[in-house]
Structure formats: structure tokens, C-alpha cells
Amino acid sequence: MHPNALLELCAELIAAVNKLDAPADATVSAFFRHHKHLGQRERASLAETVYALLRERLRFQNLAQSGSGPLNRRLAMLAWRGSDSFLGGALGPAEKQWLQQVQAIDPASLQPRLRHNLPDWLAEPLLARLGEAEFWRLAGVLNEPAPLDLRVNTLKLKREEAQAQLQAAGIAAAPTPYSPLGLRIDGKPALNKLAVFTSGGVEVQDEGSQLLALLLAPKRGEMVVDFCAGAGGKTLALGAAMRNTGRLYAFDVSGHRLDALKPRLARSGLSNVYPAQIAHERDERIKRLAGKIDRVLVDAPCSGLGTLRRNPDLKWRQSPQAVAELQAKQRAILASAARLVKPGGRLVYATCSLLEAENEEVAAEFGAAHPGFRPLPADEALAKAQVERAGELVENGALRLWPHRHATDGFFAAAWERAA
């Protein structure tokens, strides 16, 4: 395709994504379905440009105010993540000159919000919690793409065997620093055709998400509930930890999300998983299991702000009002899920959010209202699950993962044991 035609398509995709009326990945997928003629490299250039723009949207929008021509074309030029020579072939002399001038601006000379690229309502609580130096480290890391983490399905393979199979396919994978089940890959190689993937030997799962399953630590023969199972990444990890024994209920209000679990479940070799769509957290199915469950994981619906390296559009699509609504939902779901836990059983509340409002505040309110649940120190539970350097992962007794400290998505998890 001619460079100018591809740049114009990029500007068109930017216009669609910048409406922020749907998740960016859905908008990008729909665009590519509409433009089937695009090759793999062209798709990668467009997608990576769009995600780079979303990560540093405030900076690029500010820089694009100068220059002439359509704004979305200027944004595409500034955020371009394809070949430089290809971009050069699309630009006229005036555009080339403008781009050189703008790229020569020292980012350190820009005002803070154009450097951290976070909305004020999100930047302020993070700065207050982390302090100046750490806040800027976090902001820098959130503007970079995340690595690709895999969880090894220990029903089928040892970690070293999976690593060797990836190596044989030309993919270098290093053990994750904390999870004993994880492998980390730089870049985005195509895994879905590899035998190690199609046979269920590995699943894509962030190391932080693996640690949530390790914190719940289900055992053989137990009754376990994944209360907000979604597409089932943690469900699969829990089922493998149970060595395919006992009963693992995967509940979710979305049948569409549970449908996405089915092919993953088939690959995994698990037969102890029972997916079930529920109407709400007080569903009849929940009532029937009250007081019978050994371990309950509540990976609650949340803002997703811990995943900004993967989903940078969330910082522009979320709002303080949305977080307040989520907090009310989180309280209700946690209180309902707690009723399932039998005496001596374990309850874990988790989010992939960076905000105290969705994390410590919800956990503290639950603890105060439920004295029959004893807080379980996360470092002790993780150390028992063979997690390396578990103490580095815990703040005030709860799991607290930060992208800039731990190279995972941002996660929080608090654990309790119900009094016998």
C-alpha cells in the first residue's frame, strides 16, 4: 500500500478511537474487519500507533495544535510506530519540516500533565500515595507497552519444559520473578498456532493475575468459587492448582464472557470446572451454596486502571463518577460472595485497579462489618504457595502490585479466613 494511503487510514482509525465511545481494542478490531486488505505489518503499525497515541494523548494533542492540515493526520504523524522511512514517503516537505521541529521539543520543558499523560482526577491520588519520585516512575512505565506473560499449565507441563518448547519455536521466554508458574516474553509473537499453546500447555495471563490464584491457594478435592470469572484466566489457574479434582464454579453475570472461557477450558484439559451465568450477586444459585464453599475468589468489576499499559484508553474513558458506582457494586458483590464461605474457609477480594477507593477502602469496610472474617497476611499465604520474595509484594498485609515496582499489571488483593 502507498505510504500516504496507509497514513490516511491511520488518521481515520485515530478519529474513530478518539471518540472514546467503546473500548479501543474493539474499535481497532472492527476497523480491521472492515479493511481486510491490510497486511499483518500494516495492521501492527496502525494498532501500535493508536495505542501510543492513547498512552500520551495529552502530549500529542498539545503538540498537534501547531502545523496545518487535518488534526488526525498530524496526530498519526506524531504517534507513528511503523517504519520511519515509510512515514517519510507519506509526507510532503512542509509536513517533514513541521514534524522535525515538533520532535525536537524537549519533553522535560512541557508542563507536568503533558509529561505524565494522566487525567487530574487519577494523577492526584497516585501522587499523594506514592510521592513525587515514585509517581513519575509509575507514569513513565504506564506509557510503555506491557510484556507478554504466560502461565504454564502444570497439569500438562513443567515450566522448564514449556520454556524449552518456546525456545525451539524461536521465542525466548524468561521465568517470571515472583510466580512459580509464569514465563515472560518481550514483544508480541504469534502464539496461537504453536503446539505448546494449542495443546493447552500455556495460557496468556499476567503474572499479577497468576498471583491472585496463588493467594487463594485451592487444594485437591475442595469446593471453590470464582465469583466474577469473566473469560476465565484465573479459573483455569485455580482448576490446575486443584489438580483437576473437586468442584470449581465459574460464575459471571455475562454469558458472553463465559462463552470465551469454553475454548480455553477445552485446551486446558480441566473437567472440574462448572461455568454458570448468574443474574446478579444474590442469584438463587448463590443462596444454595451458602456456607458450603472452601475458597471464594472475588475478582471484582473495577476501573481496570491497573492495566493502562495494555488498555490506555481506560484513563480517558473512566471517571470519578464511574469509580464511585463501581465501589458500590464491589461492596455488594463482596458481601454476597462472603456468604458462600464455610467456617475455616478463605475469601479473597481482588481488583486490577491502582486506586485506594476500589482497594483498601472496600476491604477495610468489609472487614469492619464482618468480624467473623479474620484478615490473612498475604505474604504468609503467598510464601506457602512457593511465591518468590513474597514480602516485596505486600503492603499492610494485602497484595499490592505496581507496574513500576513489579513489572506486572496493577493489582490489589486482600484475604480473610472465616472463623471456624
Side-chain angles (χ1 to χ4, degrees):
M1 180 180 284
H2 188 275
N4 191 56
L6 190 64
L7 189 65
E8 285 301 307
L9 274 181
C10 191
E12 191 183 319
L13 177 55
I14 283 170
V17 169
N18 253 341
K19 289 177 187 167
L20 301 172
D21 56 358
D25 57 354
T27 304
V28 171
S29 295
F31 187 86
F32 288 159
R33 278 196 301 276
H34 188 65
H35 294 279
K36 290 192 166 68
H37 61 283
L38 289 169
Q40 199 57 44
R41 188 175 295 178
E42 291 164 335
R43 287 167 184 246
S45 295
L46 295 195
E48 284 168 29
T49 298
V50 162
Y51 278 88
L53 174 67
L54 287 167
R55 287 191 184 98
E56 299 190 71
R57 189 165 176 258
L58 296 180
R59 181 167 79 92
F60 288 135
Q61 284 185 327
N62 177 267
L63 294 173
Q65 296 310 309
S66 65
S68 57
L71 176 65
N72 288 319
R73 182 177 170 92
R74 275 175 276 154
L75 289 171
M77 290 157 58
L78 286 165
W80 182 253
R81 287 297 180 272
S83 138
D84 287 346
S85 58
F86 193 91
L87 178 63
L91 304 184
E95 287 180 321
K96 283 181 184 171
Q97 186 182 4
W98 172 77
L99 189 58
Q100 280 178 340
Q101 286 171 346
V102 172
Q103 287 174 337
I105 294 170
D106 180 5
S109 69
L110 300 171
Q111 53 182 282
R113 62 193 303 271
L114 302 181
R115 301 205 316 272
H116 62 59
N117 284 279
L118 295 167
D120 294 341
W121 68 268
L122 179 55
E124 284 160 13
L126 291 175
L127 180 58
R129 182 177 176 111
L130 294 171
E132 189 86 18
E134 253 206 297
F135 167 78
W136 283 104
R137 276 180 57 212
L138 172 64
V141 167
L142 291 179
N143 286 335
E144 296 168 4
L148 180 64
D149 288 355
L150 306 176
R151 178 186 55 80
V152 177
N153 180 358
T154 50
L155 289 180
K156 300 200 169 196
L157 290 174
K158 292 189 169 70
R159 179 157 69 170
E160 302 73 38
E161 292 168 339
Q163 189 179 12
Q165 287 188 28
L166 288 162
Q167 188 71 50
I171 296 170
T176 44
Y178 304 107
S179 167
L181 307 171
L183 291 169
R184 178 162 293 158
I185 295 168
D186 281 326
K188 292 180 182 169
L191 295 172
N192 54 359
K193 302 270 197 305
L194 295 181
V196 69
F197 180 81
T198 56
S199 66
V202 296
E203 268 289 335
V204 174
Q205 187 180 25
D206 183 76
E207 184 182 22
S209 184
Q210 296 176 36
L211 291 167
L212 299 186
L214 289 161
L215 179 60
L216 192 71
K219 295 188 166 54
R220 287 173 183 268
E222 289 188 331
M223 297 257 285
V224 177
V225 167
D226 187 353
F227 203 82
C228 307
K234 282 172 282 296
T235 309
L236 299 175
L238 297 171
M242 295 162 73
R243 308 306 297 169
N244 206 14
T245 64
R247 285 178 82 84
L248 172 54
Y249 295 96
F251 291 140
D252 204 276
V253 293
S254 165
H256 178 68
R257 282 199 293 265
L258 288 173
D259 285 343
L261 167 60
K262 286 174 186 169
R264 303 175 80 185
L265 199 51
R267 279 199 307 271
S268 73
L270 292 172
S271 55
N272 64 339
V273 178
Y274 298 84
Q277 186 175 356
I278 55 174
H280 42 68
E281 72 272 9
R282 300 173 311 285
D283 192 286
E284 276 304 313
R285 290 169 189 262
I286 309 296
K287 288 180 182 168
R288 286 201 294 272
L289 293 171
K292 296 177 181 172
I293 305 297
D294 294 285
R295 294 170 200 254
V296 176
L297 173 62
V298 181
D299 182 18
C302 70
S303 64
L305 293 167
T307 69
L308 288 180
R309 298 177 305 166
R310 300 172 203 282
N311 304 300
D313 55 311
L314 286 176
K315 58 186 170 182
W316 312 120
R317 294 177 55 237
Q318 291 291 14
S319 66
Q321 294 79 10
V323 169
E325 287 166 21
L326 283 163
Q327 196 183 41
K329 194 181 284 189
Q330 289 153 358
R331 288 191 200 106
I333 289 172
L334 180 54
S336 286
R339 296 187 190 115
L340 296 173
V341 184
K342 74 183 194 186
R346 183 176 296 187
L347 172 66
V348 171
Y349 168 76
T351 77
C352 53
S353 174
L354 299 169
L355 294 175
E356 287 182 37
E358 298 182 84
N359 297 337
E360 287 88 350
E361 285 180 25
V362 172
E365 281 183 27
F366 173 82
H370 296 80
F373 282 81
R374 182 181 67 83
L376 192 67
D379 48 350
E380 290 175 22
L382 290 168
K384 276 187 190 164
Q386 268 78 55
V387 171
E388 298 281 334
R389 309 198 309 276
E392 293 177 17
L393 309 174
V394 174
E395 292 176 43
N396 302 315
L399 178 71
R400 196 50 146 112
L401 300 174
W402 296 90
H404 67 293
R405 287 184 194 166
H406 307 112
T408 63
D409 286 344
F411 278 100
F412 171 85
W416 296 269
E417 196 170 85
R418 187 166 199 166

